[in-house]
Structure formats: structure tokens, C-alpha cells
Amino acid sequence: MKENNTPKTIRLSEYQAPNYLIDTVHLDVRIYEHYTDVISHLAVRANPDVPTASGQPLELVGVELELLGIEQDGATLALDHFRIDGEVLTIKDVPDQFTLLIMTRIHPKQNTSLEGLYVSKGMYCTQCEAEGFRKITYYLDRPDVMSRFTTRVEAPKQAYPVLLSNGNPVERGDLDDGRHYVIWEDPFKKPCYLFALVAGDLSVVEDHFTTSSGRDVLLQLYVEPHDLDKCEHAMDSLKRSMAWDEEVYGREYDLDIYMIVAVSHFNMGAMENKGLNIFNTSCVLANAKTTTDMGFQRVESVIAHEYFHNWSGNRVTCRDWFQLSLKEGFTVFRDQQFSADMGSETVNRIDDVNMLKTVQFAEDSGPMSHPVRPDSYIEINNFYTTTVYEKGAEVVRMIHRLMGKDGFRKGSDLYFERHDGQAVTCDDFVQAMEDANGVDLTLFRRWYSQAGTPHLKVTSEYVSDQNQFSITFEQTTLPTPGQPEKLPLHIPVAIGLLGADGKDLALQLSDGTVLDPLNPVLELKQAKQTFRFNGIKEQPVASVLRGFSAPVKLFYEQERAELAFLMSHDSDGFNRWNASQRLTVEVLLDLMSAYQEQKPLYVDSLLLESFRALLADESLDQAMVAKMLELPTEQFLAELLPKPVQVDAIHHAREGLKRELACGLRQELQQVINRCHMDPEYHYNVDAVAKRSLRNVCLAYVMTLADDEATELCLSQYREAGNMTDQLAAFRALAHSERSEKTQVIADFYQQWSSEALVVDQWFMVQASSPQPDALDNVQALMQHEAFEMTSPNKIRALIGAFCNNNPVNFHRLDGAGYAFLADQIIALNNINPQVASRMSTILTRWANYDRVRADLIKAQLTRIKAEKLSPDVYEIVSKALNQ
Ligand code: B3K
Ligand code: ZN
């Protein structure tokens, strides 16, 4: 663990190009029972682009390494020629060009940080992004140093028959003492964060892909033998991703082999190492029996995401870590486009926007708020955030909207061609878009540097005697840490005006501009702007920010009747759904007031009847109907509604609304359940997924009544389901109820699935998110369960993460027990896995959103954590949380 004596802030403004470059690296990694030796051969030269580089000392970084020896140009380096200060190895008096040989010893089996080289269930694997390579050897661990790597991996053959690294295998052989080796050569130069190595006893599934230019690529998926039946979907997703990137972006794969390895202990979803992706098992393994539809979707999108990085990230990489969104924002956008093309565009958009509004908006209004391109950090791992990823993707999406599909493609072609093999900046990306399209995006660039979610206040007016509809936008962004003043942004607002028949009216501005009927967009560039539409012969209903065309908070008052109208007529699927959400929120606000005033709950019949119509109409997109019926989550409402968050009122209003709707629509819900009957065979396609999601949304409603009939329905679905989507939906509905049958079902589910780690994660998650008052006691008891492991990020997320993130009413208990529980876990995890500990601690950064009592309780826990000896990861989050 790194210690935080004086955690240093790294600043973008202090970026300097490296004094030295490393042209080639040969790594010799020798795995022994108790330690691993790493012998690194480097070809180093002074950076010709830095005039002052020559004669400077060479400074390499290394963490937790035992240095066994160094040679420069073949001669052992005398002790007075180098020194080690903390993490820096400085070598004095180096020539302009020389070789270095560095021998180090590391202890992967003791590495629980899951960064660098570590062991997961007996298998050696690496995670080097962002700065894990320094835990393997001394190096210039920064992304603007790109080198050609060869890697020799050596290990006992019986225990580790599979030895992998980046690129192509060029040599293999047996050695004495039952050891063997393989040499890998990666022809592409890369930064060390893309280095990977695997040694283990793994089974492999193989396939092939022929690229557009006719090259054959061997595809390999390495898993534990027990998981061989869960590889098909990932392999299929990979082939579809490869074909899609050729078709949509003109990007072809460049090596002869593409390997994916599934690892159970992994901090994130997956890692795009060149030619050797390493995946969390949760993002690669899937089959009908063990994986929900949501799990299938996740596998498809993460497989695509990592594959797309081969161009957006690997061939063109980041100059420094402040530019992280250059590869992450762009690649998330690309995987979102891919998922939209594979399934339902609208449903994908709804899910992505929901997540953005719940998680990213919260981050952007708290103490960790930072621009898409941050200005500073203490620990870069803390900046793999939803702002860098998801808001970054929204920024790219806005460019896509402004350039249009073809213009965007011209821009991306130029970007890839111009910067292939380079480490570049977000600015270079925007520049390529500008140059390819002959446009000026100067103002638009502010999206990269300005933090915070813009508020967009909209007012409109219809003047009937002039046939004119005018709409006024006012944008403001609240101050964020380090940025007290905010400037107006360039905001594309997609818009439609609906006539009384529900059809879109033709849009012509008062200056004569006719908006493109296929993509009508207003471009805001000032703090306040009014647009006037002429020739509007009737009072229209405006549909604003269609497709969520910009990541802003929209404030536009519309009557409930208008929302109901949009809900059934808007030609934009996203806004149709959004109208139903807005109407639902209005009704929830009624119920929250009733709860607070202890009055009986009354549900506006407009919502009830709209839902009745949705349930009855089989001609509608059934996936959309399911989405519209899903109530906004408590976390979404906590972010959306005025502060302090009314934790209990939100919970009781939402539960009350579910029950009232279930009561009022019982018959219709039952009819949908009958109509969407369970299929004996599982198929993963748009229609089948839609049908299951609609059935299960209805099942959850019915079970809120928890009567005998509903319970029997759930029990029979639980028993008869032939796939995890249906089984888990029934399991969740029962486990979250007050019915006594649940005890048996919870025990039964574990018994059935105890040998499937990913299903056990679901089992933990369902119990951790139960709204019943015994949830925290159960979570605490489950921490002692045989399947729980404090060294497994998946288990921590499933139990501790699910309780603290997805169970607001229990986590925010007024006695503070939820907060104390989380703080205990953060303190324990700080020593085991700082990255995971730091992720968990972000939950406590939101104290300012809560009432005095809760805020004080959270702050007390933050203070308790801060008194510990902390990793820089946790230190950065906790200190920023306390200093807001
Ligand atoms: N690039 C990796 C994330 C690495 C996280 C380092 N803490 C996965 C991805 O975004 O594809
Ligand atoms: Zn990524």
C-alpha cells in the first residue's frame, strides 16, 4: 500500500514531455512458487523533441519492488551511479542512447490490490492501467512513452500450462525442473499500461474472424474449465463488434490473434490490453441458466467496448491521464452506438440517460465534481469516473449530432489517420473534427474544461394571432470545486412541436431557417436565447431535448395533460418515455406530500389510466412499455428532487404508488403476465428480452400486494423458470416481500446455485437491496457467509455496494448504523484493496444532500476514516468530502 505522508497533487498545467524514450522492452518474467523475478531489458534514448533532455538523469518509477541489480550497456551499475528515493529510481550521467537491464523481485501472491501482477484463484494475471506497471518493474510509467514489447514468460508447466502476453507467440519450449516458457512479440508500440501477462491452467474456446481485407484472425477465450458452457455469447459479441467497427468506422483488427481471459478477481469490468484483453468474469461469461438479460447486454457492450479500444485507445492513445476521456468517452460512445444497432436504440438510450442522471449528475454536484478533462488529481484511479466515461460519451455524442453522421465519420477517419501510433489529447480529437468538417468548435471545447451540469430553464409562448411559437432558453451552471465562475456552453437542443393530431409540425425559424425535419436542432451558445417559429397555426406541445441531446438538467413546466399527450404521441421514443417519467414524478410528489402530512395516498387517475392504456396496447414496442411502467428509482429521485433528500418520503411514496397501481390495474397486469408467458427455451433477441422485461415488471407490481395469489404466482415462476431472468425476477419479488415463504426460497436459491459465483453475487445483491428493516442485519450476517470474500471486488460490490447504493431507506437509517457499517468496511478495505475502498468511500461524499442529522452522522464517519493511515486513493476522496 502506498502511504499518504504528503499526497501530491498532479496538475495538467505542469505536463512536460518525457526526457527519455524507450524504444524497445524485453521482459523476462519468471514465476516461482513464492515470488516472481522480472528481468527488463530497455533500449533508452534522450527525447529529441525535448531540447534540454540530453544529460538529464533518468528517473524511473517502481512500487513495492525488490531491486536485485542494474546493468547499463552491459556493465553492472556502481552504487554511486543510482539511488532510490521512495518510488523513484534515479540514474545519473546517462548517455543519449543506452541499454538498461533491471532485475527485480515481486510477490504477486501477496498482492491484494489487484494492480500490477497478482494471483486470482491460482491464476497469474496483470492490471496495469493506469499506473500498475510500476508494480512489475522500474519504468517510465506514463502513456506518452510508447515502446515495442517482447515478453518471455516462464513458469512450472503443470500448474501453469497456459502462458500468455501481448501480440503473437513466437517461441515456446520446455526447461529443466518441469518448467516451460513462451515468448510473445507485439509488433505495435504501446504504452506500458497496455501490457498484459497471464499464467494459469485454463481452457480455451476458439473461433475465427476474417477481416474486411481478408486476413484471418484467431479468436481465443480463456476460462476455467467449469465455465466453458458460458462462452458462446461473448464470442458472438466479439465477432459482431469486429464486423461493426469495420462497417461503421472503417477500422480493421491488426494482429493475427485476439485473446480474452476471464478472471474472477478484478477491480473493474475489463481491460483492453493489446491483443490480450483481461475480463472480469461478470463481463464475459453468460448462459441462459445463470445470466439475466441484463447480464447478456452487459457482456455484449463490454466485449465491444474493449474491442473498440484497439483503435480508440491503443492505436491512438492518451498523452497523459488528464486526457483519459479521449479514449474512454469516445469508446463508451462507440459501444453505445453498437448496442443501439444490436438492440433497441430507444431502450438503450433510456438506460444510459437514467444512469447518467442518477450517478453522473450526483457526482457533478458534489465535492468530486471535475471536468471531463480534469485539471488535477491525487490518485488517477479515482478519475475513472462516470464524468470521464459517461459524460465524456455525451460530449462525443453532441459532436456527432452537430457534425451529422457523415461529418462525424470524416472527422474520426482523419483523427485515426493523423494520430495513428501517437499519444494525443482531447483537443487533437476536436481539432480533427473541425478540420474534417471545416467548422469552428472553439466554444464547444468548454465541455471538456468546465465541470458541473448546466441547468437549462425553458419558457415558451404561443401568440395565436401571429401564428408564432417562441421558446426561450436560459443556461446556468452552478459553481464547482475550483471553478466559481461558469461560462455559457454550446448546447445542441433537439426539438419537435406536436400539433393537436400528435404529428410533428414543420419548423421554420423567424429568420427563415428551416430546421432539418430528420434532425431538428437548436444550437444554444449564449446564456439566454430565444427562438421564434413562424407558421405555427395551432397551440403546439413542445418536445424539448429529444433523445437527450445534451447532458443538462432541463426545467420546463408542462401541464400533466401535456405530458400524457407526449407520452402517447411523441415521435421521439426517448421523450415519450421521459414524459411518462415526468408525469410519474409529479404523482410521486403528490404522494410524498400526503405521506408527510399523514394523509391518505391518492394517485392521479391520469397516470393510472395512461398506464392502463399502455398495458392494453399490444401494438406498442413492448420493451418501451416495460420501461415506461418502471418507476424511477429512489436514487434517481434523490438526485432529481430538491434537497435535503426526503429519504423516507421518497421510499414510502414510491412503495405506495406501486401498491396503488397494482391494486388499480391488477386485472390488466395479470393479463399481460398471461400474454407474456414464459418460454421453455431461452433466446436472446430484442423481442424475447422485451417480453420477459414486461412480464417481470408486471410481476413485481402484483407482488407488492403480497397476497396468496401473487405469492403463488411468484413461487411457480421461481420453480418453473428455465432461465435466470425469470427465475431471478420471481426470487427478488419474493425475497423483498414480507411473506414467510421467502426464508425457504432464499435458502433454496443458494443451494441451487452455490457453485456459480456470479449467481451467488446476484443472491447477495437481492438480499442487500431488500427494503425490509432487517436488511442491514442480514448484510452483516452475510459478511460471514462461506461465499463472501473481502478480497473479491465482485463480492464486495454485490453485498456492501448493493446495500449502500441500492437500498437508500436502510443505508440512511436515522441511527447511523448504515454509515458506521460502511466506514468499517472502507477502513478494512483500505489495506486490502485501495481502489475498491476508494470507490466505496465516494458514497459518503454526498452528505451535504441530507438533513442535519444524517449529514452530521456521515461526517463523523468520514472523520473517523480520515484518522486512519490511508492510501492516497481513499485519502483523496475522504479529504475532498470533508472540505466541501
Ligand atoms: N481502461 C480500463 C479501465 C482501467 C481502470 C484502471 N483503474 C477499462 C475500460 O475502460 O475499458
Ligand atoms: Zn474503456
Side-chain angles (χ1 to χ4, degrees), residues 121-287:
K121 286 177 85 185
M123 161 187 162
Y124 282 76
C125 61
T126 52
Q127 172 55 37
C128 293
E129 188 178 357
E131 297 180 333
F133 195 72
R134 61 188 63 185
K135 289 186 158 186
I136 296 175
T137 181
Y138 284 102
Y139 198 74
L140 286 173
D141 188 356
R142 45 187 294 167
D144 54 359
V145 171
M146 299 174 78
S147 325
R148 216 151 277 143
F149 279 69
T150 51
T151 308
R152 180 180 177 281
V153 194
E154 180 193 311
K157 190 168 182 175
Q158 203 181 355
Y160 308 101
V162 174
L163 304 176
L164 310 174
S165 191
N166 315 85
N168 302 309
V170 289
E171 188 183 319
R172 64 178 72 233
D174 289 337
L175 301 163
D176 293 342
D177 302 335
R179 295 174 67 78
H180 72 146
Y181 73 93
V182 181
I183 300 179
W184 292 82
E185 195 175 275
D186 183 354
F188 292 94
K189 57 180 188 159
K190 63 170 178 285
C192 64
Y193 83 85
L194 291 172
F195 170 78
L197 177 156
V198 168
D201 187 0
L202 298 163
S203 300
V204 64
V205 170
E206 293 191 341
D207 208 328
H208 289 264
F209 180 80
T210 309
T211 70
S212 52
S213 71
R215 279 188 313 102
D216 177 62
V217 182
L218 172 64
L219 311 176
Q220 293 184 316
L221 185 44
Y222 287 91
V223 297
E224 283 182 32
H226 161 82
D227 292 321
L228 276 170
D229 60 348
K230 305 184 191 77
C231 295
E232 201 182 307
H233 179 60
M235 190 60 96
D236 181 54
S237 303
L238 175 60
K239 288 188 286 183
R240 282 184 284 115
S241 307
M242 296 177 90
W244 185 91
D245 212 17
E246 289 180 349
E247 191 189 317
V248 180
Y249 281 87
R251 300 291 115 202
E252 194 178 333
Y253 186 61
D254 50 14
L255 286 166
D256 299 332
I257 179 169
Y258 190 87
M259 297 170 283
I260 293 177
V261 181
V263 173
S264 65
H265 293 64
F266 205 72
N267 283 342
M268 310 267 295
M271 178 64 212
E272 70 265 24
N273 316 300
K274 184 79 189 186
L276 176 54
N277 286 188
I278 298 184
F279 269 64
N280 188 321
T281 46
S282 70
C283 293
V284 59
L285 303 178
N287 73 20

Side-chain angles (χ1 to χ4, degrees), residues 127 129-130 268 270-272 305-306 309 327-328 381 384 389 835:
Q127 172 55 37
E129 188 178 357
M268 310 267 295
M271 178 64 212
E272 70 265 24
H305 180 98
E306 306 312 330
H309 267 316
K327 74 178 178 80
E328 296 304 347
N381 284 321
Y384 285 73
Y389 275 64
Q835 279 185 44

Side-chain angles (χ1 to χ4, degrees), residues 363 366-370 382-383 385 387 481 842 845 876-877 880:
E363 178 169 273
M368 272 298 288
S369 175
H370 55 274
N382 286 334
F383 285 79
T385 58
T387 298
T842 59
T845 60
E876 178 168 34
I877 304 292
K880 286 181 177 170

Side-chain angles (χ1 to χ4, degrees), residues 414-711:
L414 179 61
Y415 168 72
F416 288 127
E417 183 195 323
R418 189 184 267 178
H419 298 296
D420 190 8
Q422 296 177 1
V424 302
T425 64
C426 297
D427 231 30
D428 291 319
F429 179 79
V430 180
Q431 185 75 50
M433 289 290 160
E434 286 180 320
D435 293 350
N437 290 282
V439 293
D440 179 3
L441 293 171
T442 311
L443 179 58
F444 186 86
R445 280 179 164 82
R446 261 183 211 154
W447 279 107
Y448 285 95
S449 57
Q450 185 165 292
T453 309
H455 290 201
L456 195 59
K457 199 173 146 229
V458 181
T459 47
S460 58
E461 193 190 6
Y462 179 62
V463 184
S464 57
D465 52 6
Q466 289 174 21
N467 287 348
Q468 192 176 67
F469 180 80
S470 60
I471 185 158
T472 301
F473 298 89
E474 277 177 83
Q475 52 161 312
T476 46
T477 304
L478 298 175
T480 56
Q483 286 189 341
E485 308 291 340
K486 301 288 182 181
L487 295 163
L489 294 161
H490 181 174
I491 304 177
V493 178
I495 191 168
L497 298 183
L498 280 70
D501 61 357
K503 299 229 163 65
D504 284 324
L505 303 175
L507 298 182
Q508 181 170 32
L509 291 170
S510 53
D511 66 2
T513 316
V514 178
L515 299 192
D516 175 0
L518 295 176
N519 183 24
V521 179
L522 301 173
E523 292 189 34
L524 315 188
K525 295 184 177 172
Q526 294 153 23
K528 185 170 180 182
Q529 257 171 296
T530 298
F531 298 85
R532 295 189 173 78
F533 294 100
N534 284 348
I536 306 294
K537 299 200 178 67
E538 53 179 323
Q539 166 92 48
V541 176
S543 168
V544 183
L545 208 69
R546 280 182 161 174
F548 200 67
S549 60
V552 300
K553 283 189 188 174
L554 187 70
F555 297 89
Y556 182 31
E557 279 183 27
Q558 287 181 297
E559 301 286 328
R560 291 183 185 195
E562 287 183 304
L563 295 175
F565 181 75
L566 290 171
M567 202 173 148
S568 48
H569 293 99
D570 202 324
S571 62
D572 181 71
F574 174 83
N575 260 8
R576 226 173 179 186
W577 167 83
N578 200 40
S580 102
Q581 288 282 293
R582 287 170 63 194
L583 182 60
T584 309
V585 170
E586 296 271 327
V587 173
L588 279 165
L589 284 170
D590 296 344
L591 299 189
M592 282 171 67
S593 311
Y595 169 82
Q596 275 155 339
E597 291 160 22
Q598 299 185 347
K599 289 192 183 146
L601 303 186
Y602 162 76
V603 175
D604 189 336
S605 59
L606 190 61
L607 185 72
L608 193 81
E609 294 315 318
S610 304
F611 276 15
R612 199 188 304 282
L614 284 176
L615 288 166
D617 192 345
E618 289 183 49
S619 72
L620 296 172
D621 170 356
Q622 300 292 282
M624 266 292 283
V625 173
K627 286 286 159 204
M628 288 167 108
L629 295 173
E630 262 175 42
L631 300 182
T633 63
E634 290 174 38
Q635 302 89 295
F636 178 93
L637 295 165
E639 165 52 33
L640 179 81
L641 301 178
K643 310 295 178 285
V645 177
Q646 308 292 311
V647 178
D648 301 295
I650 288 177
H651 177 72
H652 291 287
R654 193 175 175 280
E655 292 295 304
L657 180 56
K658 274 200 284 187
R659 272 194 308 274
E660 293 296 310
L661 290 169
C663 238
L665 301 169
R666 174 119 200 198
Q667 221 185 334
E668 290 80 356
L669 289 164
Q670 188 59 54
Q671 276 163 4
V672 175
I673 292 172
N674 297 344
R675 157 158 64 85
C676 301
H677 49 79
M678 287 195 291
D679 290 324
E681 247 189 85
Y682 178 86
H683 294 285
Y684 179 69
N685 59 49
V686 175
D687 289 342
V689 171
K691 192 170 134 189
R692 282 189 289 272
S693 67
L694 184 55
R695 175 186 172 94
N696 290 321
V697 167
C698 294
L699 184 79
Y701 269 110
V702 170
M703 191 56 196
T704 55
L705 301 172
D707 53 22
D708 291 346
E709 201 185 325
T711 307

Side-chain angles (χ1 to χ4, degrees), residues 400-419:
H400 186 274
R401 194 179 282 275
L402 292 169
M403 302 299 107
K405 189 166 161 261
D406 297 339
F408 187 84
R409 171 67 192 267
K410 274 196 250 162
S412 69
D413 281 351
L414 179 61
Y415 168 72
F416 288 127
E417 183 195 323
R418 189 184 267 178
H419 298 296

